[in-house]
Amino acid sequence: MEFNDNKPIYRQIADYAFNCILERMWLPEERIPSVRELAADLGVNSRTVLKALEYLQNTGVITPRRGMGFILEADAVNKVLSERRREFYQVTVPALREEMRRLNIKPLDLARFLENGHSLLI
């Protein structure tokens, strides 16, 4: 996994976990990879992974289960969708709006582009 400087690494690992959940690579009520497994797969320190898993636990996405590690909550997909949508509207949209302002792109132009999906409006 390649990390960027825009967000703490543990949050980027949490985003990776969110993607695994949304893409159904990790299934509700099943065990997720261990701290060691994730650290090895992602090439990071296990303490950083543990911090990411603590974040997931605090958001109610995973829960520890004695002798099994962490289990994905039954409603994890809905919680992840809610968190991702919140971040989209609070972080992504304002940044997009500012960039559109700088480039003089009107909301209607963006809507047309999104509808067509491939036609660049210059």
Side-chain angles (χ1 to χ4, degrees), residues 19-122:
N19 288 336
C20 289
I21 293 164
L22 293 176
E23 293 172 10
R24 308 305 195 265
M25 294 166 48
W26 296 358
L27 299 173
E29 300 181 331
E30 290 190 7
R31 179 188 167 279
I32 67 167
S34 70
V35 172
R36 282 189 187 140
E37 291 169 328
L38 284 171
D41 289 347
L42 301 175
V44 296
N45 186 298
S46 59
R47 289 183 184 177
T48 306
V49 172
L50 187 56
K51 188 171 182 177
L53 294 181
E54 288 171 355
Y55 174 80
L56 295 177
Q57 188 176 355
N58 290 338
T59 60
V61 174
I62 62 173
T63 188
R65 196 160 296 158
R66 183 181 284 257
M68 291 187 68
F70 288 97
I71 304 298
L72 198 60
E73 290 286 344
D75 61 347
V77 171
N78 290 332
K79 288 179 179 178
V80 170
L81 284 172
S82 177
E83 177 63 19
R84 278 284 177 88
R85 287 175 179 151
R86 183 199 60 73
E87 184 174 345
F88 178 78
Y89 285 112
Q90 291 181 352
V91 178
T92 306
V93 170
L96 176 63
R97 183 178 291 144
E98 180 59 23
E99 186 67 6
M100 288 173 63
R101 183 195 62 74
R102 278 194 289 276
L103 298 173
N104 196 29
I105 296 173
K106 305 295 179 227
L108 187 56
D109 295 335
L110 178 61
R112 286 185 189 132
F113 176 79
L114 292 172
E115 284 178 14
N116 294 334
H118 60 279
S119 300
L120 185 60
L121 305 171
I122 299 178

